[in-house]
Amino acid sequence: MNATEKSDPLVSILIPCYNSERTVAEAIDSALAQTYPNVEVIVVDDGSTDDSTEVLASYGDRIRWKSIANSGACTARNEALKMATGTFIQFLDADDLLMPEKIERQLPLLLDGDLDLVFCRGMIFGDGRPEHPKKDPTETPNGKDPFIYCLYHGLSTPGPLHRRCLLDQIGGFRRGIPFAQELDLHLRLCAAGAKIEFKDELLYAARHHPNEARISQSARPAGAFLRILLELTDELMRRPYYKMTQQRCRALASFIAQHGIYAYRSGAKSIPARAFHFAQKLDPDFSVEERPWYRTAARGIGYMNMERFLATARGVRDRVYLSN
């Protein structure tokens, strides 16, 4: 390790790219423009069919990149993580931007203590309005269980700056997840012991644009998010390096049951019953964000029966209304 690496440890900025020829150059430029002096930029092209690879090739040796068969953003990020040599990791999507001082502003918190992840706020651009703050968490996680904090305060992809070791321990992103990838990653990191901190500054910009290739714009069937939650729960309970305390299990059970209610009311038929069963196994004393009378009745007859009863009642009400 040379003197620069001792005083300014290497930060790897990792960018997955899929059919992003129009935006990936801006993302790369924002990574290369960091005021922090020791960064490497790594891009993994996820089987693009446009001219993305020509854009990547135009950067010469200023970046490192490779192409893989189309496998999804999680796989592309994990491939980039394998290529990275930095002690600290910054993820960046190919249509988002880092503010020039992002690494410089967040890294000292990781260097000065035993933190594993420092996150920040960001801006939204490209939606036809002037650039404006994104609805990121603004509440500090200090004094709170990091797992429960991230369960209810979803962190973005570019907001956090990571210490690498825990990312390696949990295997990076879980492959095959079509959306909610950040929530899945951050919950697993926190369950593995990550200590987190909040830097209350606007240090990245997320692009808003109607593009069907974006995960956030894809149509989702009822219960799709719930399936991801149940798969995540199975992962958390099986792996010995995840520490699921009673407090964490209760919070997760409540979260799953609440989304079971949402899924049933959105038209999902079978998976809500699985969700309520999972929640009961995690912690029988879980609660949901429904009215007190609902919670009391559901504990007596079961959440699935409660939802079926309410659906029948709503149907009768609607038929009576239409007949009058």
Side-chain angles (χ1 to χ4, degrees):
M1 181 181 290
N2 59 40
T4 298
E5 289 171 328
K6 289 181 180 179
S7 59
D8 298 313
L10 181 64
V11 176
S12 301
I13 302 176
L14 312 184
I15 305 174
C17 173
Y18 176 69
N19 287 350
S20 301
E21 62 174 327
R22 297 181 180 180
T23 62
V24 69
E26 288 183 79
I28 293 171
D29 290 345
S30 76
L32 293 173
Q34 290 299 297
T35 55
Y36 181 74
N38 195 19
V39 302
E40 64 175 2
V41 179
I42 298 173
V43 185
V44 171
D45 179 74
D46 187 31
S48 293
T49 57
D50 63 0
D51 292 330
S52 292
T53 56
E54 293 183 18
V55 176
L56 302 184
S58 71
Y59 281 87
D61 61 4
R62 288 189 293 163
I63 68 172
R64 294 164 54 208
W65 69 279
K66 67 180 289 188
S67 288
I68 62 172
N70 181 249
S71 306
C74 291
T75 297
R77 293 188 187 109
N78 287 347
E79 286 298 315
L81 184 60
K82 291 177 185 177
M83 297 170 63
T85 58
T87 306
F88 299 95
I89 301 295
Q90 169 69 60
F91 293 107
L92 175 64
D93 286 342
D95 47 8
D96 295 338
L97 308 174
L98 304 179
M99 298 297 103
E101 67 279 10
K102 185 179 192 296
I103 304 300
E104 184 179 15
R105 297 294 295 160
Q106 290 181 289
L107 186 58
L109 290 174
L110 291 171
L111 295 178
D112 291 344
D114 60 350
L115 296 172
D116 300 289
L117 182 158
V118 175
F119 63 98
C120 64
R121 298 168 59 212
M123 303 292 288
I124 291 284
F125 72 104
D127 62 355
R129 296 183 289 168
E131 191 173 80
H132 53 95
K134 187 174 180 286
K135 291 182 179 179
D136 282 313
T138 57
E139 179 185 350
T140 176
N142 290 343
K144 301 177 178 66
D145 184 306
F147 179 89
I148 297 174
Y149 179 90
C150 286
L151 187 63
Y152 290 99
H153 300 82
L155 309 185
S156 65
T157 300
L161 179 63
H162 299 264
R163 190 183 301 276
R164 178 175 186 156
C165 53
L166 274 183
L167 285 169
D168 288 337
Q169 179 182 328
I170 69 169
F173 283 83
R174 201 155 55 87
R175 297 172 186 266
I177 302 176
F179 60 93
Q181 300 163 349
E182 302 85 356
L183 178 66
D184 183 279
L185 176 74
H186 297 138
L187 287 178
R188 289 188 297 111
L189 284 170
C190 290
K195 297 178 181 179
I196 67 176
E197 184 56 278
F198 174 49
K199 185 77 170 174
D200 191 6
E201 296 184 30
L202 298 164
L203 296 175
Y204 72 91
R207 187 187 304 268
H208 174 91
H209 53 178
N211 182 340
E212 292 182 357
R214 284 177 60 88
I215 291 171
S216 60
Q217 300 294 328
S218 301
R220 301 171 188 169
F225 178 62
L226 199 52
R227 284 187 174 82
I228 291 173
L229 279 180
L230 296 184
E231 290 171 1
L232 169 62
T233 302
D234 183 63
E235 175 80 3
L236 292 172
M237 303 309 290
R238 284 191 303 111
R239 305 292 184 184
Y241 45 78
Y242 295 129
K243 308 303 179 185
M244 293 302 292
T245 64
Q246 182 179 4
Q247 184 183 27
R248 290 176 176 180
C249 286
R250 180 166 298 173
L252 183 57
S254 298
F255 194 77
I256 289 171
Q258 187 66 57
H259 282 276
I261 293 171
Y262 296 154
Y264 185 84
R265 294 175 185 176
S266 297
K269 299 302 181 184
S270 59
I271 197 166
R274 286 183 56 207
F276 299 137
H277 177 70
F278 258 68
Q280 191 73 24
K281 286 180 62 178
L282 280 172
D283 193 311
D285 294 325
F286 73 85
S287 185
V288 293
E289 297 175 0
E290 300 290 326
R291 294 177 181 179
W293 63 263
Y294 177 101
R295 296 197 297 268
T296 300
R299 288 193 186 102
I301 67 173
Y303 283 85
M304 197 68 224
N305 288 332
M306 185 66 180
E307 285 301 310
R308 287 170 178 152
F309 169 78
L310 290 177
T312 300
R314 293 187 193 105
V316 172
R317 178 200 61 192
D318 292 344
R319 286 193 296 273
V320 170
Y321 176 80
L322 290 172
S323 66
N324 290 334

PDB file of all heavy atoms in Angstrom, residues 72-74 77 93 95 177-182 211-220:
ATOM      1  N   GLY A  72     -29.679  -8.941 -15.292  1.00  0.00           N
ATOM      2  CA  GLY A  72     -30.318  -8.094 -14.291  1.00  0.00           C
ATOM      3  C   GLY A  72     -29.327  -7.240 -13.535  1.00  0.00           C
ATOM      4  O   GLY A  72     -28.119  -7.539 -13.474  1.00  0.00           O
ATOM      5  N   ALA A  73     -29.839  -6.165 -12.942  1.00  0.00           N
ATOM      6  CA  ALA A  73     -28.983  -5.176 -12.281  1.00  0.00           C
ATOM      7  C   ALA A  73     -28.233  -5.762 -11.088  1.00  0.00           C
ATOM      8  O   ALA A  73     -27.083  -5.391 -10.831  1.00  0.00           O
ATOM      9  CB  ALA A  73     -29.818  -3.981 -11.839  1.00  0.00           C
ATOM     10  N   CYS A  74     -28.867  -6.678 -10.346  1.00  0.00           N
ATOM     11  CA  CYS A  74     -28.194  -7.251  -9.183  1.00  0.00           C
ATOM     12  C   CYS A  74     -26.929  -8.004  -9.588  1.00  0.00           C
ATOM     13  O   CYS A  74     -25.871  -7.861  -8.963  1.00  0.00           O
ATOM     14  CB  CYS A  74     -29.143  -8.180  -8.430  1.00  0.00           C
ATOM     15  SG  CYS A  74     -30.489  -7.330  -7.595  1.00  0.00           S
ATOM     16  N   ARG A  77     -24.217  -5.516 -10.731  1.00  0.00           N
ATOM     17  CA  ARG A  77     -23.554  -4.859  -9.593  1.00  0.00           C
ATOM     18  C   ARG A  77     -22.591  -5.820  -8.898  1.00  0.00           C
ATOM     19  O   ARG A  77     -21.489  -5.433  -8.481  1.00  0.00           O
ATOM     20  CB  ARG A  77     -24.599  -4.352  -8.600  1.00  0.00           C
ATOM     21  CG  ARG A  77     -25.464  -3.209  -9.125  1.00  0.00           C
ATOM     22  CD  ARG A  77     -26.335  -2.642  -8.007  1.00  0.00           C
ATOM     23  NE  ARG A  77     -27.289  -1.672  -8.526  1.00  0.00           N
ATOM     24  CZ  ARG A  77     -28.594  -1.873  -8.614  1.00  0.00           C
ATOM     25  NH1 ARG A  77     -29.115  -3.037  -8.225  1.00  0.00           N
ATOM     26  NH2 ARG A  77     -29.390  -0.931  -9.088  1.00  0.00           N
ATOM     27  N   ASP A  93     -26.429   4.112 -10.278  1.00  0.00           N
ATOM     28  CA  ASP A  93     -27.144   3.644 -11.462  1.00  0.00           C
ATOM     29  C   ASP A  93     -26.753   4.486 -12.673  1.00  0.00           C
ATOM     30  O   ASP A  93     -26.318   5.636 -12.541  1.00  0.00           O
ATOM     31  CB  ASP A  93     -28.649   3.683 -11.235  1.00  0.00           C
ATOM     32  CG  ASP A  93     -29.124   2.574 -10.311  1.00  0.00           C
ATOM     33  OD1 ASP A  93     -28.366   1.597 -10.121  1.00  0.00           O
ATOM     34  OD2 ASP A  93     -30.238   2.685  -9.772  1.00  0.00           O
ATOM     35  N   ASP A  95     -28.306   6.079 -14.801  1.00  0.00           N
ATOM     36  CA  ASP A  95     -29.058   7.285 -15.139  1.00  0.00           C
ATOM     37  C   ASP A  95     -29.080   8.295 -13.994  1.00  0.00           C
ATOM     38  O   ASP A  95     -29.804   9.281 -14.056  1.00  0.00           O
ATOM     39  CB  ASP A  95     -30.490   6.942 -15.565  1.00  0.00           C
ATOM     40  CG  ASP A  95     -31.158   5.958 -14.622  1.00  0.00           C
ATOM     41  OD1 ASP A  95     -30.576   5.657 -13.564  1.00  0.00           O
ATOM     42  OD2 ASP A  95     -32.261   5.490 -14.937  1.00  0.00           O
ATOM     43  N   ILE A 177     -33.774 -10.406  -8.087  1.00  0.00           N
ATOM     44  CA  ILE A 177     -34.833  -9.564  -7.514  1.00  0.00           C
ATOM     45  C   ILE A 177     -35.193  -8.492  -8.541  1.00  0.00           C
ATOM     46  O   ILE A 177     -34.342  -7.701  -8.937  1.00  0.00           O
ATOM     47  CB  ILE A 177     -34.362  -8.899  -6.212  1.00  0.00           C
ATOM     48  CG1 ILE A 177     -33.928  -9.949  -5.203  1.00  0.00           C
ATOM     49  CG2 ILE A 177     -35.467  -8.025  -5.627  1.00  0.00           C
ATOM     50  CD1 ILE A 177     -33.367  -9.363  -3.935  1.00  0.00           C
ATOM     51  N   PRO A 178     -36.443  -8.419  -8.971  1.00  0.00           N
ATOM     52  CA  PRO A 178     -36.799  -7.471 -10.025  1.00  0.00           C
ATOM     53  C   PRO A 178     -36.913  -6.021  -9.556  1.00  0.00           C
ATOM     54  O   PRO A 178     -36.774  -5.096 -10.342  1.00  0.00           O
ATOM     55  CB  PRO A 178     -38.155  -7.990 -10.519  1.00  0.00           C
ATOM     56  CG  PRO A 178     -38.730  -8.706  -9.340  1.00  0.00           C
ATOM     57  CD  PRO A 178     -37.569  -9.300  -8.615  1.00  0.00           C
ATOM     58  N   PHE A 179     -37.183  -5.816  -8.266  1.00  0.00           N
ATOM     59  CA  PHE A 179     -37.249  -4.460  -7.710  1.00  0.00           C
ATOM     60  C   PHE A 179     -37.070  -4.571  -6.193  1.00  0.00           C
ATOM     61  O   PHE A 179     -36.863  -5.666  -5.670  1.00  0.00           O
ATOM     62  CB  PHE A 179     -38.571  -3.767  -8.066  1.00  0.00           C
ATOM     63  CG  PHE A 179     -39.801  -4.471  -7.557  1.00  0.00           C
ATOM     64  CD1 PHE A 179     -40.363  -4.133  -6.344  1.00  0.00           C
ATOM     65  CD2 PHE A 179     -40.397  -5.476  -8.307  1.00  0.00           C
ATOM     66  CE1 PHE A 179     -41.488  -4.797  -5.866  1.00  0.00           C
ATOM     67  CE2 PHE A 179     -41.527  -6.132  -7.841  1.00  0.00           C
ATOM     68  CZ  PHE A 179     -42.062  -5.792  -6.612  1.00  0.00           C
ATOM     69  N   ALA A 180     -37.107  -3.440  -5.492  1.00  0.00           N
ATOM     70  CA  ALA A 180     -36.839  -3.404  -4.048  1.00  0.00           C
ATOM     71  C   ALA A 180     -35.464  -3.984  -3.724  1.00  0.00           C
ATOM     72  O   ALA A 180     -35.235  -4.533  -2.647  1.00  0.00           O
ATOM     73  CB  ALA A 180     -37.932  -4.132  -3.262  1.00  0.00           C
ATOM     74  N   GLN A 181     -34.534  -3.847  -4.669  1.00  0.00           N
ATOM     75  CA  GLN A 181     -33.198  -4.413  -4.504  1.00  0.00           C
ATOM     76  C   GLN A 181     -32.428  -3.726  -3.379  1.00  0.00           C
ATOM     77  O   GLN A 181     -31.689  -4.368  -2.628  1.00  0.00           O
ATOM     78  CB  GLN A 181     -32.439  -4.291  -5.823  1.00  0.00           C
ATOM     79  CG  GLN A 181     -33.109  -5.018  -6.972  1.00  0.00           C
ATOM     80  CD  GLN A 181     -32.607  -4.585  -8.336  1.00  0.00           C
ATOM     81  OE1 GLN A 181     -31.894  -3.594  -8.463  1.00  0.00           O
ATOM     82  NE2 GLN A 181     -33.007  -5.300  -9.368  1.00  0.00           N
ATOM     83  N   GLU A 182     -32.604  -2.411  -3.261  1.00  0.00           N
ATOM     84  CA  GLU A 182     -31.897  -1.661  -2.234  1.00  0.00           C
ATOM     85  C   GLU A 182     -32.408  -2.038  -0.845  1.00  0.00           C
ATOM     86  O   GLU A 182     -31.616  -2.212   0.090  1.00  0.00           O
ATOM     87  CB  GLU A 182     -32.061  -0.153  -2.454  1.00  0.00           C
ATOM     88  CG  GLU A 182     -31.581   0.332  -3.808  1.00  0.00           C
ATOM     89  CD  GLU A 182     -32.639   0.199  -4.893  1.00  0.00           C
ATOM     90  OE1 GLU A 182     -33.738  -0.340  -4.616  1.00  0.00           O
ATOM     91  OE2 GLU A 182     -32.357   0.635  -6.028  1.00  0.00           O
ATOM     92  N   ASN A 211     -39.398   5.611 -18.613  1.00  0.00           N
ATOM     93  CA  ASN A 211     -38.684   4.634 -19.428  1.00  0.00           C
ATOM     94  C   ASN A 211     -39.066   3.253 -18.926  1.00  0.00           C
ATOM     95  O   ASN A 211     -38.812   2.918 -17.784  1.00  0.00           O
ATOM     96  CB  ASN A 211     -37.170   4.868 -19.296  1.00  0.00           C
ATOM     97  CG  ASN A 211     -36.372   3.918 -20.155  1.00  0.00           C
ATOM     98  OD1 ASN A 211     -36.851   2.873 -20.559  1.00  0.00           O
ATOM     99  ND2 ASN A 211     -35.131   4.281 -20.433  1.00  0.00           N
ATOM    100  N   GLU A 212     -39.661   2.444 -19.760  1.00  0.00           N
ATOM    101  CA  GLU A 212     -40.145   1.136 -19.330  1.00  0.00           C
ATOM    102  C   GLU A 212     -39.015   0.210 -18.903  1.00  0.00           C
ATOM    103  O   GLU A 212     -39.249  -0.779 -18.214  1.00  0.00           O
ATOM    104  CB  GLU A 212     -40.954   0.483 -20.444  1.00  0.00           C
ATOM    105  CG  GLU A 212     -42.277   1.201 -20.727  1.00  0.00           C
ATOM    106  CD  GLU A 212     -43.081   0.517 -21.800  1.00  0.00           C
ATOM    107  OE1 GLU A 212     -42.574  -0.483 -22.348  1.00  0.00           O
ATOM    108  OE2 GLU A 212     -44.200   0.966 -22.085  1.00  0.00           O
ATOM    109  N   ALA A 213     -37.784   0.527 -19.283  1.00  0.00           N
ATOM    110  CA  ALA A 213     -36.667  -0.327 -18.896  1.00  0.00           C
ATOM    111  C   ALA A 213     -36.281  -0.114 -17.440  1.00  0.00           C
ATOM    112  O   ALA A 213     -35.601  -0.940 -16.846  1.00  0.00           O
ATOM    113  CB  ALA A 213     -35.448  -0.057 -19.792  1.00  0.00           C
ATOM    114  N   ARG A 214     -36.708   1.008 -16.851  1.00  0.00           N
ATOM    115  CA  ARG A 214     -36.389   1.271 -15.456  1.00  0.00           C
ATOM    116  C   ARG A 214     -37.210   0.357 -14.555  1.00  0.00           C
ATOM    117  O   ARG A 214     -38.393   0.145 -14.758  1.00  0.00           O
ATOM    118  CB  ARG A 214     -36.661   2.738 -15.095  1.00  0.00           C
ATOM    119  CG  ARG A 214     -35.614   3.693 -15.604  1.00  0.00           C
ATOM    120  CD  ARG A 214     -35.992   5.120 -15.258  1.00  0.00           C
ATOM    121  NE  ARG A 214     -36.112   5.301 -13.817  1.00  0.00           N
ATOM    122  CZ  ARG A 214     -35.102   5.630 -13.025  1.00  0.00           C
ATOM    123  NH1 ARG A 214     -33.896   5.772 -13.522  1.00  0.00           N
ATOM    124  NH2 ARG A 214     -35.282   5.808 -11.726  1.00  0.00           N
ATOM    125  N   ILE A 215     -36.560  -0.162 -13.504  1.00  0.00           N
ATOM    126  CA  ILE A 215     -37.238  -1.053 -12.573  1.00  0.00           C
ATOM    127  C   ILE A 215     -38.448  -0.370 -11.965  1.00  0.00           C
ATOM    128  O   ILE A 215     -39.522  -0.949 -11.842  1.00  0.00           O
ATOM    129  CB  ILE A 215     -36.255  -1.492 -11.467  1.00  0.00           C
ATOM    130  CG1 ILE A 215     -35.176  -2.406 -12.056  1.00  0.00           C
ATOM    131  CG2 ILE A 215     -36.975  -2.197 -10.327  1.00  0.00           C
ATOM    132  CD1 ILE A 215     -34.059  -2.715 -11.111  1.00  0.00           C
ATOM    133  N   SER A 216     -38.288   0.907 -11.576  1.00  0.00           N
ATOM    134  CA  SER A 216     -39.358   1.604 -10.887  1.00  0.00           C
ATOM    135  C   SER A 216     -40.569   1.843 -11.764  1.00  0.00           C
ATOM    136  O   SER A 216     -41.653   2.134 -11.280  1.00  0.00           O
ATOM    137  CB  SER A 216     -38.842   2.945 -10.344  1.00  0.00           C
ATOM    138  OG  SER A 216     -38.377   3.751 -11.412  1.00  0.00           O
ATOM    139  N   GLN A 217     -40.410   1.732 -13.097  1.00  0.00           N
ATOM    140  CA  GLN A 217     -41.511   1.970 -14.012  1.00  0.00           C
ATOM    141  C   GLN A 217     -42.202   0.679 -14.462  1.00  0.00           C
ATOM    142  O   GLN A 217     -43.181   0.714 -15.198  1.00  0.00           O
ATOM    143  CB  GLN A 217     -41.003   2.729 -15.244  1.00  0.00           C
ATOM    144  CG  GLN A 217     -40.382   4.083 -14.938  1.00  0.00           C
ATOM    145  CD  GLN A 217     -41.388   5.074 -14.402  1.00  0.00           C
ATOM    146  OE1 GLN A 217     -42.552   5.024 -14.768  1.00  0.00           O
ATOM    147  NE2 GLN A 217     -40.956   5.969 -13.529  1.00  0.00           N
ATOM    148  N   SER A 218     -41.682  -0.445 -14.043  1.00  0.00           N
ATOM    149  CA  SER A 218     -42.224  -1.718 -14.515  1.00  0.00           C
ATOM    150  C   SER A 218     -43.530  -2.048 -13.803  1.00  0.00           C
ATOM    151  O   SER A 218     -43.692  -1.784 -12.611  1.00  0.00           O
ATOM    152  CB  SER A 218     -41.213  -2.842 -14.263  1.00  0.00           C
ATOM    153  OG  SER A 218     -39.997  -2.561 -14.936  1.00  0.00           O
ATOM    154  N   ALA A 219     -44.467  -2.652 -14.533  1.00  0.00           N
ATOM    155  CA  ALA A 219     -45.731  -3.075 -13.932  1.00  0.00           C
ATOM    156  C   ALA A 219     -45.467  -4.223 -12.966  1.00  0.00           C
ATOM    157  O   ALA A 219     -44.682  -5.125 -13.249  1.00  0.00           O
ATOM    158  CB  ALA A 219     -46.701  -3.493 -15.024  1.00  0.00           C
ATOM    159  N   ARG A 220     -46.147  -4.192 -11.810  1.00  0.00           N
ATOM    160  CA  ARG A 220     -45.945  -5.218 -10.801  1.00  0.00           C
ATOM    161  C   ARG A 220     -47.282  -5.881 -10.480  1.00  0.00           C
ATOM    162  O   ARG A 220     -48.249  -5.200 -10.152  1.00  0.00           O
ATOM    163  CB  ARG A 220     -45.373  -4.605  -9.527  1.00  0.00           C
ATOM    164  CG  ARG A 220     -44.052  -3.889  -9.730  1.00  0.00           C
ATOM    165  CD  ARG A 220     -43.663  -3.123  -8.490  1.00  0.00           C
ATOM    166  NE  ARG A 220     -42.504  -2.281  -8.729  1.00  0.00           N
ATOM    167  CZ  ARG A 220     -42.082  -1.346  -7.894  1.00  0.00           C
ATOM    168  NH1 ARG A 220     -42.742  -1.114  -6.778  1.00  0.00           N
ATOM    169  NH2 ARG A 220     -41.015  -0.621  -8.187  1.00  0.00           N
TER     170      ARG A 220
END
